Amino acid sequence: MSQHINLTAAEWSVMECLWERAPQTGRELTQTLSAREGWNRSTTLTLLSRLEAKGAVEGNSAGSVKTFSPLLRREDAALHETEDFLTRVYKGSVSMMVSALTKKQALSKTEIEELYAMLEDMKGGAHND
């Protein structure tokens, strides 16, 4: 089941840590995010609390130690963000997005071949709704 939970950039940073390894304690996450983002303990714990309230993270207490695990799969979050971005910025047009992206940066031969392969799969009905 795909969950539609909007994540802020800061919440993505916390989720990335949990997607890399879970469960983790608040202390472990604080240490990692302090090194990566320069955040203090309070910032990390506030973000964890927000993520719990959104249903993206689950906190489990075992004795005096609370561990956190993601409830939201990275794939689901990425798909939701992509759909939201595509709708908001490109009015749902994939071709308009690809056109905009390729105007500034040339695609490698491998990337072009991968796009052709995806298009052929879709043309054959593999991704039709």
Side-chain angles (χ1 to χ4, degrees):
M1 173 179 82
S2 177
Q3 297 179 44
H4 293 277
I5 298 173
N6 292 318
L7 300 174
T8 65
E11 290 167 344
W12 265 96
S13 295
V14 175
M15 293 302 294
E16 287 291 354
C17 289
L18 289 170
W19 288 322
E20 289 167 12
R21 184 175 62 84
Q24 290 190 60
T25 65
R27 181 180 301 249
E28 291 169 325
L29 288 162
T30 296
Q31 289 173 342
T32 300
L33 291 164
S34 174
R36 286 185 189 177
E37 306 288 340
W39 296 346
N40 62 30
R41 181 177 183 271
S42 176
T43 300
T44 299
L45 297 180
T46 297
L47 288 166
L48 283 167
S49 177
R50 272 199 238 156
L51 288 165
E52 274 188 288
K54 287 183 174 187
V57 167
E58 176 180 53
N60 292 307
S61 294
S64 63
V65 178
K66 186 172 184 178
T67 59
F68 298 90
S69 298
L71 293 175
L72 178 63
R73 293 178 337 126
R74 189 183 199 296
E75 296 79 13
D76 292 336
L79 180 59
H80 176 66
E81 286 290 321
T82 302
E83 289 171 344
D84 181 58
F85 174 77
L86 186 62
T87 300
R88 188 171 26 87
V89 178
Y90 294 103
K91 298 180 183 178
S93 172
V94 173
S95 60
M96 201 164 114
M97 180 184 73
V98 172
S99 175
L101 291 173
T102 57
K103 283 181 183 173
K104 287 289 185 181
Q105 178 180 340
L107 296 175
S108 69
K109 185 176 185 206
T110 302
E111 289 171 321
I112 292 169
E113 289 169 357
E114 288 171 355
L115 281 172
Y116 273 125
M118 283 188 267
L119 292 171
E120 284 300 317
D121 285 346
M122 286 183 231
K123 187 177 176 182
H127 291 94
N128 289 343
D129 291 331

